[in-house]
Amino acid sequence: MALRVVLVILSFLPLLEAQSPEHASITDIPITNDTLSWLSGKWFYLGSAFRNLEFKQALQEIQAEYFYFTPNLTDDTILLQEYQTTKDRCVYFNSSKLGVQRENGTISKHDGPEEYFAHLKVFTKHRGFILTFAPEDETNRGLSFYANKTDIAPELLREFQKAVKSLGMNESEIIYTDWKKDMCSQQQKQPEPEKKPEE
């Protein structure tokens, strides 16, 4: 099964209902029209930290990934288009939609009859954001972080590392991408990259 950082992680990690106070700084942050407008555009996946062994192994295969968010403020959805470099080749994933739950600050994906969630926290000053998955689940919790460029501010990296620690995880559990291995940026200017069907 192809790994799509934003979508597949959402489909594997259901959000648990109860939230504890220590996670309040990375959860329960409402999403507004301004938030959605701010999210519009190109984003780079920079790294993740997950307890789930299957995810760790899959994430290690991703050399680089960027994607485009196109929010729809009317129906509270985000159109997602992804370009991922894996095994030194570029793969394009067909467009799909994420749901937006404004009040509890989550985005979601439907996988058949199930809907899975991730908490969104944005860092407007440094143009980055974090997605937090299953913060109450000791064996499946995790985070991933994104920015509008690959050369990020040290403060943004520190915010991500701080969020990782707030979930009781270690910096050694973080897996970073290697943007020197990006194949998609070049191919996007050339013939269309290999396409993967939606799963």
Side-chain angles (χ1 to χ4, degrees):
M1 178 174 73
L3 174 74
R4 292 166 284 172
V5 174
V6 176
L7 292 177
V8 174
I9 291 174
L10 284 172
S11 70
F12 275 83
L13 296 174
L15 173 69
L16 301 180
E17 292 296 325
Q19 298 298 321
S20 65
E22 67 263 24
H23 302 139
S25 66
I26 54 175
T27 62
D28 302 325
I29 301 168
I31 296 173
T32 64
N33 279 350
D34 288 342
T35 309
L36 291 174
S37 296
W38 183 87
L39 283 170
S40 182
K42 185 176 183 178
W43 294 98
F44 296 89
Y45 162 62
L46 300 176
S48 298
F50 281 89
R51 284 281 167 85
N52 183 295
L53 183 59
E54 181 181 351
F55 281 126
K56 284 184 181 180
Q57 293 171 342
L59 290 167
Q60 287 172 342
E61 296 181 8
I62 298 174
Q63 295 166 299
E65 176 169 312
Y66 63 88
F67 54 91
Y68 295 89
F69 271 167
T70 308
N72 184 321
L73 305 183
T74 305
D75 66 5
D76 288 344
T77 60
I78 300 174
L79 180 68
L80 171 70
Q81 299 171 284
E82 292 184 86
Y83 296 82
Q84 183 182 104
T85 301
T86 305
K87 298 178 182 176
D88 296 319
R89 65 187 177 91
C90 178
V91 179
Y92 167 73
F93 295 100
N94 292 330
S95 301
S96 55
K97 281 190 178 180
L98 303 176
V100 176
Q101 296 73 42
R102 290 175 179 258
E103 290 187 9
N104 64 9
T106 59
I107 62 174
S108 65
K109 176 194 181 279
H110 280 280
D111 185 18
E114 300 293 327
E115 186 173 17
Y116 300 96
F117 300 82
H119 295 279
L120 170 70
K121 181 174 182 178
V122 300
F123 300 95
T124 54
K125 180 180 177 182
H126 302 298
R127 293 291 298 169
F129 67 92
I130 292 175
L131 293 177
T132 304
F133 307 90
E136 299 298 328
D137 187 340
E138 179 68 32
T139 58
N140 288 314
R141 65 179 48 160
L143 302 97
S144 54
F145 84 114
Y146 312 85
N148 70 334
K149 57 184 180 179
T150 57
D151 182 21
I152 62 170
E155 294 85 358
L156 180 59
L157 180 58
R158 283 196 293 271
E159 287 291 344
F160 174 64
Q161 292 168 343
K162 180 180 174 183
V164 168
K165 291 177 183 177
S166 77
L167 285 187
M169 303 173 72
N170 299 316
E171 286 185 37
S172 62
E173 296 179 76
I174 300 173
I175 299 169
Y176 294 101
T177 51
D178 183 354
W179 281 94
K180 294 175 184 174
K181 297 180 179 178
D182 173 35
M183 301 295 291
C184 293
S185 295
Q186 298 172 352
Q187 288 189 20
Q188 205 176 3
K189 301 171 186 173
Q190 299 170 1
E192 183 114 351
E194 177 183 342
K195 289 191 177 184
K196 288 277 186 175
E198 288 298 312
E199 294 181 353

